Amino acid sequence: MSNIRFEAIKQCAREQSTAYEVKGQVKDYFACDVFTRERMKEYIAEEVLQQLFDDVDNGRTIHREIAGSVAIGMRKWATDHGATHFTHWFQPLTGGTAEKHDAFFTLKDGMLIEEFSGDALYQQEPDASSFPSGGIRNTFEARGYSAWDPSSPVFLIGDTLCIPTVFVAYTGEALDYKTPLIRSTAALCHAAREVCQYFDKTVKHVHTNLGWEQEYFLVDEALFNARPDLVMTGRTLMGHASAKNQQLEDHYFGAIPARVLAFMRELEYEALRAGIPVRTRHNEVAPNQFEMAPVYEDVNLSNDHNLLVMSIMERVAERHHFRVLLHEKPYAGVNGSGKHCNWSLQTNTGTNLLSPGKNPYQNLQFVTFLVNVLMAVYKYNGLLKASIASATNEHRLGANEAPPAIISVFLGKQISEVLDKLENATAEEGIIINAKKEMKLGIANIPEILLDNTDRNRTSPFAFTGNRFEFRAVGSSANCGAAMLALNSAVAEQLMQFKSEVDRRVEAGEAKERVLFDVIKRYIVECKAIRFDGNGYSDEWKEEAARRGLDCETSAPLMIDNYLSPEVVKMFATTGVLNEAELHSRCEVKWETYCKKVQIESRVMGDLVINHVLPAAKRYQTMLLQNVLAVKQVFSEEEVRSLNEQDYSIIRQIENHAAAIIAGVEKMTEARHKANRQPDERSKAIAYHDTVLPLMADIRSHADELEMIVDDEMWTLVKYREMLTVH
Ligand code: ADP
Ligand code: MG
């Protein structure tokens, strides 16, 4: 009888490519698959483009007539480069991206003509009845529209022209991540620009930047295919820890294995062609874990690029006989994967609003934005956690090595000192205005460059890193949009409140600098609870955070409730990002997805223990029993007793674990049925979390014990030590 595990391991020894030749230099192929503004000039009339760019840059809706002329140029460029199809490329709430390809031709009077109209570019109505809408759209009224997002350029993937689009219901509600992300950047741009006017009247625009760091695991495809749990759920549902995993810390930043490097080179090549400015690659902490990061871009574009790169990764990995694991926690006991979202605000004049400046005004501006972000994170820490909550990220958060399930902000020593000084300064000390009306900040000088690498805190879910904030709790498989739109909206609302308070007092006759100083000082005191520079993994912090009134919920289904708190509903309404119906629908989808994921995992687990673990254990047990009988025939009764002692012990252990597993699976199935009978998605998700997950953990512990007992040659599931090595 063949053992699928050994077959898989043998497969890994196949001839592997360890070389990948990139042709040419980056500058020769960067963005060659993108219809960039430069390229548009070759294909589209100047006046049309002027109007288009003007509308895009000012956030105005594009006229349908313009779409017609743009579409002609777009098709010409695409077909010149071998495209035969186009697709609206959108981001449904399932996560990932969706596309439906149509050819560039149509029939007219029985004749085939090449066509791609403005309407086809502008808007499509995919049969979207099976995308989740959380009740916004009944399936019999399955009208969802995808509409062109001209702020993100179209690009080619193989023979298909991909058009980034938003996805909305017939009634206008957002059914995706892109729509509210765009709304949130508009709200933030507006609010931040208004506040900038206190410091610099020339600021016309404020952009939100995102630079993501994508972590992932690689596993050989043969090993992957021999683990039904990886294939079906993206994570291992069982597996005993390997004797050696990450304790020696020898993988982090280590030399990248040749086979992996070949994969990375091809991945980077494809990503760069698609205009994704990937720049950084390295080994991560866990064995077989890696990271890639691009240069930051506008948040909407950067998020499109992240989604695109995730699909490119999967495609390229297959060519190298790898599978990419984007799951947040593919293996218990070693680090999980996140997607740190580096976020900053930048004016059209080139100033990074989260970077200390060269003069007192710039520094007051920096402190203003910094403190307003702190306030927003403080007020909406529960929402920010909800924005990253999922069935998959839940395994990573709060675990030993990942950001804790409590949102706090790490500022580092220098900035903490600046805020402490400001807090304790009198108005006279804080803001000094001399006879020439020059302003001086009374606080200690803020060094222009704060990037102090020794002052890093890896345990913080939200860290200030010198000129940006790094939201680290985002999951590796997530659409960053969910987290970014929550952050953008929260900061936008906060800045609006700040401005209205400052304006009110200035209008009443107080000096602007004084008022700014005064309000900032009050904020520093008010949001102190969110600042934490200590060890986020410690138990003391959990107690301390609860005392401070921060959201300490650890159950994902309950974290999601934060979307519907009265303050959050009001905040999203004020900023115009999501209305109440949209929020409800998002929560429904989140709960539903949660249930489905745990349900699938639980079923797969039942299947694995019954069809893999128990048969192997029983086979081994039978062997031991046969041995006991055989010994009896040869040795005396006395000798038999001592000889069989160990066998008996193992036979009994197997029996106990097997019995526990069988009982556990029965209970788990019952718990699932009970959960499914709950009246709504929220209660269902809570039931899955509270009853099904603990039973799964229990079953796993018995299966993992059996793995340690059973003869290695009989074990059929690929082991951790085999998956966590590059073959
Ligand atoms: P580390 O792992 O040390 O945090 P990386 O080099 O892996 O750093 O990733 C840093 C990320 O932060 C990159 O995506 C980079 O583009 C991004 N980034 C750098 N500066 C900014 C900024 N001002 N705003 C937003 N993102 C930034
Ligand atoms: Mg990094």
Side-chain angles (χ1 to χ4, degrees):
M1 189 181 54
S2 75
N3 179 326
I4 50 171
R5 174 169 148 243
F6 287 100
E7 293 297 318
I9 295 169
K10 241 191 278 168
Q11 261 273 312
C12 292
R14 76 175 87 72
E15 203 170 308
Q16 287 151 355
S17 74
T18 51
Y20 178 77
E21 289 292 321
V22 176
K23 292 155 210 75
Q25 293 183 359
V26 177
K27 64 176 170 39
D28 301 327
Y29 57 81
F30 181 69
C32 68
D33 294 335
V34 185
F35 198 36
T36 56
R37 284 194 174 192
E38 267 316 298
R39 241 160 246 144
M40 285 169 121
K41 289 180 190 155
E42 289 168 38
Y43 286 88
I44 300 168
E46 202 185 317
E47 42 318 337
V48 174
L49 277 189
Q50 237 164 33
Q51 178 75 49
L52 176 72
F53 295 161
D54 200 44
D55 287 345
V56 169
D57 295 341
N58 292 296
R60 286 192 296 263
T61 315
I62 309 295
H63 291 293
R64 268 191 188 246
E65 308 84 75
I66 287 194
S69 316
V70 175
I72 294 169
M74 218 180 244
R75 181 182 62 95
K76 180 82 176 67
W77 170 76
T79 49
D80 279 356
H81 290 79
T84 52
H85 288 67
F86 70 94
T87 181
H88 275 199
W89 184 77
F90 57 101
Q91 307 169 14
L93 295 172
T94 36
T97 51
E99 48 198 85
K100 175 185 156 227
H101 300 189
D102 282 304
F104 277 128
F105 71 79
T106 187
L107 285 183
K108 204 166 188 183
D109 304 329
M111 297 281 284
L112 191 129
I113 53 162
E114 289 228 348
E115 191 191 71
F116 176 58
S117 67
D119 282 348
L121 164 67
Y122 203 77
Q123 185 174 306
Q124 291 273 297
E125 192 187 332
D127 176 14
S129 46
S130 14
F131 289 112
S133 74
I136 278 190
R137 181 170 40 77
N138 293 324
T139 32
F140 60 82
E141 233 290 346
R143 295 173 78 177
Y145 289 100
S146 54
W148 178 34
D149 166 19
S151 64
S152 183
V154 301
F155 54 90
L156 289 171
I157 292 284
D159 63 4
T160 306
L161 174 73
C162 299
I163 303 160
T165 55
V166 295
F167 183 46
V168 293
Y170 177 56
T171 41
E173 280 99 355
L175 297 172
D176 66 350
Y177 287 109
K178 193 187 245 290
T179 309
L181 179 62
I182 293 175
R183 291 178 189 156
S184 76
T185 47
L188 181 53
C189 169
H190 186 262
R193 185 187 55 209
E194 296 285 294
V195 171
C196 279
Q197 302 302 307
Y198 294 137
F199 309 96
D200 182 356
K201 296 257 185 256
T202 63
V203 172
K204 294 266 177 303
H205 270 289
V206 176
H207 302 279
T208 314
N209 293 322
L210 165 65
W212 41 264
E213 299 165 57
Q214 177 73 54
E215 293 180 339
Y216 60 95
F217 279 85
L218 287 176
V219 61
D220 188 277
E221 77 181 0
L223 302 182
F224 174 87
N225 288 331
R227 289 284 312 213
D229 46 358
L230 276 186
V231 174
M232 276 184 284
T233 73
R235 74 168 174 122
T236 55
L237 298 171
M238 57 192 67
H240 201 285
S242 159
K244 172 182 182 289
N245 48 50
Q246 64 189 44
Q247 43 305 48
L248 297 178
E249 295 176 351
D250 50 355
H251 190 256
Y252 191 50
F253 281 14
I256 300 171
R259 185 181 169 199
V260 175
L261 198 56
F263 155 77
M264 286 177 170
R265 284 205 184 105
E266 188 170 356
L267 167 61
E268 286 167 354
Y269 175 69
E270 299 247 325
L272 288 162
R273 285 184 62 113
I276 308 171
V278 288
R279 193 162 170 263
T280 306
R281 62 183 182 207
H282 59 80
N283 286 2
E284 257 305 323
V285 173
N288 262 2
Q289 191 188 26
F290 307 93
E291 179 186 295
M292 83 184 301
V295 176
Y296 65 89
E297 300 173 285
D298 165 79
V299 62
N300 178 32
L301 180 62
S302 181
N303 192 38
D304 282 359
H305 280 166
N306 178 246
L307 289 160
L308 183 55
V309 110
M310 290 199 281
S311 63
I312 296 178
M313 270 173 139
E314 287 176 350
R315 230 179 24 240
V316 174
E318 280 180 29
R319 286 184 220 138
H320 293 256
H321 299 295
F322 278 129
R323 283 290 182 282
V324 171
L325 305 179
L326 290 169
H327 193 289
E328 283 77 359
K329 195 76 181 173
Y331 306 104
V334 297
N335 273 19
S337 299
K339 181 149 51 199
H340 297 179
C341 288
N342 293 269
W343 176 92
S344 66
L345 296 170
Q346 191 174 351
T347 65
N348 63 308
T349 51
T351 306
N352 178 348
L353 294 169
L354 294 174
S355 204
K358 290 191 178 67
N359 60 49
Y361 258 99
Q362 285 175 351
N363 273 334
L364 185 60
Q365 174 171 278
F366 160 67
V367 171
T368 299
F369 279 92
L370 183 90
V371 171
N372 272 292
V373 174
L374 286 183
M375 270 298 269
V377 177
Y378 168 61
K379 283 194 205 157
Y380 296 108
N381 70 89
L383 168 69
L384 289 173
K385 199 161 75 179
S387 77
I388 51 101
S390 68
T392 50
N393 207 17
E394 192 176 38
H395 295 289
R396 166 177 169 259
L397 292 184
N400 230 358
E401 75 319 297
I406 301 165
I407 301 292
S408 64
V409 181
F410 169 84
L411 285 180
K413 199 159 154 274
Q414 288 167 308
I415 294 295
S416 296
E417 275 172 13
V418 169
L419 296 195
D420 291 345
K421 284 219 174 100
L422 268 179
E423 181 190 334
N424 296 314
T426 61
E428 284 68 31
E429 290 164 352
I431 300 285
I432 302 161
I433 300 177
N434 65 18
K436 280 196 252 156
K437 290 238 170 217
E438 283 169 341
M439 185 188 78
K440 254 176 140 175
L441 273 188
I443 47 174
N445 288 337
I446 306 176
E448 221 179 285
I449 304 225
L450 282 167
L451 299 163
D452 177 1
N453 270 316
T454 56
D455 194 20
R456 284 248 183 154
N457 183 333
R458 298 191 133 254
T459 72
S460 178
F462 202 97
F464 183 68
T465 45
N467 61 358
R468 61 191 189 264
F469 279 98
E470 189 171 338
F471 192 7
R472 301 195 180 126
V474 183
S476 49
S477 70
N479 181 320
C480 311
M484 292 296 98
L485 75 92
L487 179 61
N488 287 348
S489 311
V491 175
E493 190 215 36
Q494 174 55 42
L495 289 170
M496 285 156 77
Q497 285 178 2
F498 174 75
K499 175 161 164 48
S500 83
E501 179 167 356
V502 172
D503 282 357
R504 194 161 21 86
R505 288 175 54 177
V506 171
E507 273 161 34
E510 290 183 68
K512 185 180 79 182
E513 288 78 10
R514 278 291 166 85
V515 179
L516 290 172
F517 171 77
D518 211 38
V519 178
I520 289 167
K521 194 174 141 165
R522 207 188 68 230
Y523 282 177
I524 293 174
V525 178
E526 211 175 312
C527 69
K528 225 174 197 175
I530 201 71
R531 280 161 58 188
F532 178 65
D533 282 8
N535 177 6
Y537 299 163
S538 69
D539 287 332
E540 299 84 73
W541 167 234
K542 284 181 201 149
E543 287 161 26
E544 167 70 15
R547 269 198 299 278
R548 292 187 188 186
L550 299 179
D551 188 312
C552 296
E553 185 55 61
T554 55
S555 151
L558 292 175
M559 289 178 198
I560 293 167
D561 283 346
N562 279 303
Y563 275 108
L564 300 174
S565 79
E567 310 82 65
V568 168
V569 172
K570 187 160 158 272
M571 180 277 282
F572 276 125
T574 316
T575 48
V577 174
L578 288 165
N579 65 30
E580 204 167 343
E582 289 171 317
L583 285 170
H584 275 281
S585 87
R586 251 147 239 268
C587 290
E588 286 293 300
V589 173
K590 279 189 173 252
W591 284 316
E592 196 183 323
T593 311
Y594 185 94
C595 294
K596 284 183 181 157
K597 292 229 160 128
V598 182
Q599 183 181 47
I600 293 169
E601 286 188 349
S602 156
R603 284 179 179 159
V604 172
M605 173 157 242
D607 168 49
L608 282 188
V609 286
I610 301 295
N611 300 313
H612 283 256
V613 174
L614 289 184
K618 288 284 164 184
R619 224 175 288 138
Y620 183 50
Q621 196 188 35
T622 307
M623 195 180 95
L624 294 174
L625 284 166
Q626 279 166 351
N627 188 45
V628 167
L629 291 179
V631 165
K632 268 190 188 152
Q633 289 173 0
V634 179
F635 296 96
S636 74
E637 214 167 291
E638 189 117 332
E639 285 168 313
V640 165
R641 205 167 297 134
S642 72
L643 273 172
N644 281 340
E645 213 163 287
Q646 202 198 346
D647 281 356
Y648 281 137
S649 152
I650 297 177
I651 290 165
R652 250 183 234 113
Q653 282 179 47
I654 292 179
E655 204 45 45
N656 292 343
H657 288 306
I661 285 177
I662 291 168
V665 171
E666 237 168 68
K667 270 200 251 168
M668 179 175 74
T669 312
E670 182 46 41
R672 240 169 32 222
H673 292 166
K674 217 166 144 195
N676 293 341
R677 286 197 297 271
Q678 294 297 315
D680 54 74
E681 293 302 327
R682 179 177 178 274
S683 328
K684 239 194 246 183
I686 293 171
Y688 267 103
H689 175 273
D690 293 353
T691 64
V692 179
L693 280 181
L695 287 166
M696 286 174 64
D698 193 44
I699 295 169
R700 175 184 184 141
S701 70
H702 290 289
D704 289 356
E705 287 294 325
L706 283 174
E707 185 184 321
M708 288 308 268
I709 297 171
V710 172
D711 177 7
D712 186 63
E713 292 204 11
M714 291 184 174
W715 197 256
T716 57
L717 286 172
V718 178
K719 295 188 172 181
Y720 266 32
R721 63 162 186 264
E722 290 143 3
M723 286 182 285
L724 289 170
T725 314
V726 179
H727 291 271

